[in-house]
Amino acid sequence: MRRRTKAPVAPLPQRAGIDPVRLRLPADPGGTWATVRDHLLGRYAGAIGAERVDAMLAEGRFVGADGAPVGAAEPYAAGRYVWFHRDFPAEERVPFEVGVVHRDERIVVADKPHFLATTPRGRHVTETALARLRRDLDLPELQPAHRLDRLTAGLVLFVVRPEDRGAYQTLFRDRRVRKEYEAVAAHDPGLALPVTVRSRIVKERGVPAAREVPGEPNSESRIELLEHRGGLGRYRLVPATGQTHQLRVHMARLGVPILDDPLYPVVREDGPEDYTRPLRLLARALEFTDPLTGAPMRFTTRLTLSGPA
């Protein structure tokens, strides 16, 4: 079995907490690309335009393993590595800070605010918890062990050293982390709680909301009522699985959708963010046995939800 050659270290530093894109030029048995420029145009011109690709080449934005700019006329060489930074989209700053609940030489446990994505994706790149923490804590190799939905606030576990990331990711993959959430929703006195909800949830790419379909359940959530007042309830949600939007789907299914949810039960029209109306869902606690030390770990958020009044 042939071992994969390890990629060289990136010759470009991070920019605003974001790694450069690494591109390995693919095999070209048909001789489609005579030059590096030909390949870059074929790969990126459809997304950003040929003029922008040429401008980035002229500006020296594409570099090789030695850090030297790649010339537009350089012959194509399959297997060569090229790095560059994408043009970042214009982003409105999310007006809430990322809190640090715990930090040691292995992990950072952060309190992610509502509206801030965990990692770069789509139109959210520099305005993400990962990019902010890398900059603020001067930890350029920081990586998340899991993700928390952009509209949900609360605890996210990040790993400081790349060699440790797999051990912590495996905890989440193997469901060896107990996660506890808190939510505010309408109170229905006719709803018998606590209850365990199981269903099959599918999330299609490009479709904002997930949906439940017939079939073998792939999601499970335990839902308890903690208190109620003024027509609102405060709920404890304990997921046994981690499907996209699982808790939001299950609360809507019970007829008590989470307060200010823009997707469930009805998809709200896309528009400017209303920072005064966050989704009332909070990742409250994380509990696990540290895979490297064997020590029991439990973390609780410092954030709160406005609830029954």
Side-chain angles (χ1 to χ4, degrees), residues 24-26 33-36 74-81:
R24 188 170 189 264
L25 301 184
W33 307 299
T35 65
V36 175
E74 287 188 34
Y76 186 85
R80 181 183 183 182
Y81 286 96

Side-chain angles (χ1 to χ4, degrees), residues 214-232:
E216 183 71 21
N218 62 359
S219 64
E220 178 180 319
S221 310
R222 181 170 175 81
I223 299 170
E224 307 170 14
L225 179 66
L226 297 175
E227 62 171 328
H228 67 90
R229 197 162 54 247
L232 293 178

Side-chain angles (χ1 to χ4, degrees), residues 118-162:
T118 302
T119 56
R121 185 176 182 183
R123 66 179 187 271
H124 306 287
V125 180
T126 59
E127 274 302 287
T128 57
L130 177 62
R132 283 200 192 178
L133 287 170
R134 281 176 168 179
R135 301 191 302 262
D136 295 347
L137 303 181
D138 192 24
L139 293 174
E141 294 186 309
L142 195 71
Q143 290 286 352
H146 64 120
R147 286 184 174 86
L148 191 62
D149 189 59
R150 187 179 72 87
L151 297 184
T152 304
L155 298 178
V156 184
L157 175 67
F158 293 86
V159 184
V160 175
R161 301 178 297 212

